[in-house]
Amino acid sequence: MNQQHTLVLMPGLDGTGKLFAPLIPLLEPHFRLVIVTYPDLDSFSEYVDCAQNQLPEAGGFSLVAESFSGPVAMAIMAQRPERIGPSVLSSTFARSPLAALTRMTNYVPEQMFSIGALSDFCLDVYEVNDEDFSETQPLPLNVMEQLDGVLLKHRISVLSRIDVSALLPGIEIPILHLHGTQDRIVSEPDALVLQSNLPDVNRIDIDAPHLLLQTHPQQCAELIFNHVRAAV
C-alpha cells in the first residue's frame, strides 16, 4: 500500500470531524488523512464547494463520507471523478431521510435546537450509550452540545432538501457502502437506493446503529483499508 495515498474524511451533521477520533489512529499508519470541516452554510451547493476547497491540490485521493456528507461526496464524485479513487459511503443516503420531519425545522425556534432540548432525542435516534465509547473518544453528545442552535437548524434545513439520486448512475468510482442494520435514521429503502443505482458498489451490513464508524471502528477501518488497497 502506498502510504502517500490520501483519505479525505467527511463528517456527519456535526461538521467538525471530531467523531472520527476512533478511526484516525487505525487509518493513520496506512494513509495520509485530510479531515473536512464545515462552517454554517445556507445551501447544499455551498457545502459541496466548501468540501471541494479542502481536497488535496495534487494527486489522487479517496473519500470516506459519513451521513450528511454522503450526498456531498457523491456530488463531488459526479463532478470530478478523475482524481478520486475507491471511496466509502457510511450510514448515508442519496435523498433526505425523514424529509417531512426535517422540513419542519423551518418553523421551530433556534433555542429548541440547543443540546438541552435535543439531548434525549439525539441519544434515542443515534441509539448509542456512553459505554459504547472509550474514555479517550469524544461522546457524540459532547460534540453536538458544542454546536450553535442556529447552525444546527440551518444544517438540518439543508438536509431536508437534499436529493442527489439522479447523479448515482453516472458515478463509476468503486464504492464501499457501509450500512448499520440498527440505523434509525437511514432506513433500508434509503440504503437500497444506493445499492440499486450506483454502478460499482459493494454493500456491507453491520449490526450497528447510525454511528457505526464510532461504535465499530476496528471492523470499519479494516473494511476501508481492504477496499482502498484493492484498487490503488
Side-chain angles (χ1 to χ4, degrees):
M1 164 63 82
N2 182 357
Q3 292 192 0
Q4 297 305 307
H5 189 74
T6 299
L7 287 187
V8 179
L9 306 184
M10 303 176 65
L13 191 66
D14 66 289
T16 66
K18 293 179 180 178
L19 290 177
F20 287 124
L23 268 184
I24 288 173
L26 301 174
L27 296 175
E28 271 185 328
H30 312 291
F31 305 100
R32 176 177 176 265
L33 301 182
V34 172
I35 300 175
V36 169
T37 60
Y38 299 124
D40 188 6
L41 301 169
D42 293 324
S43 69
F44 178 70
S45 63
E46 289 179 331
Y47 279 97
V48 175
D49 291 342
C50 178
Q52 286 183 322
N53 290 336
Q54 298 175 67
L55 298 177
E57 295 183 359
F61 55 88
S62 297
L63 304 177
V64 178
E66 178 181 34
S67 191
F68 177 83
S69 280
V72 177
M74 287 182 271
I76 293 172
M77 293 178 202
Q79 291 177 12
R80 47 187 302 181
E82 63 281 352
R83 293 179 56 209
I84 303 176
S87 294
V88 180
L89 299 173
S90 177
S91 301
T92 194
F93 42 85
R95 63 174 70 96
S96 177
L98 310 174
L101 178 61
T102 53
R103 279 196 293 269
M104 291 173 60
T105 59
N106 294 323
Y107 308 101
V108 178
E110 281 83 2
Q111 56 265 32
M112 292 302 296
F113 290 86
S114 68
I115 199 61
L118 286 180
S119 57
D120 291 340
F121 173 78
C122 287
L123 288 176
D124 181 60
V125 170
Y126 284 150
E127 201 175 10
V128 294
N129 300 302
D130 287 358
E131 55 265 28
D132 292 324
F133 301 86
S134 74
E135 294 181 357
T136 61
Q137 297 175 19
L139 300 178
L141 196 57
N142 293 342
V143 172
M144 295 297 288
E145 71 183 355
Q146 297 175 32
L147 301 180
D148 179 75
V150 174
L151 180 152
L152 190 56
K153 178 178 179 179
H154 286 174
R155 196 162 290 161
I156 293 174
S157 179
V158 170
L159 170 63
S160 73
R161 303 188 296 271
I162 287 176
D163 187 349
V164 298
S165 54
L167 301 178
L168 302 187
I171 298 174
E172 298 181 351
I173 295 164
I175 300 294
L176 173 64
H177 174 206
L178 302 178
H179 177 66
T181 57
Q182 306 302 319
D183 195 326
R184 294 184 180 179
I185 297 176
V186 180
S187 67
E188 176 62 18
D190 293 324
L192 282 174
V193 171
L194 300 184
Q195 182 180 349
S196 301
N197 291 282
L198 287 167
D200 188 356
V201 61
N202 177 26
R203 173 175 162 178
I204 302 291
D205 286 346
I206 298 175
D207 184 15
H210 186 67
L211 296 179
L212 65 86
L213 296 181
Q214 290 73 29
T215 56
H216 294 68
Q218 184 68 49
Q219 181 180 1
C220 291
E222 291 175 2
L223 289 167
I224 292 168
F225 175 81
N226 290 334
H227 175 69
V228 175
R229 179 182 62 179
V232 300

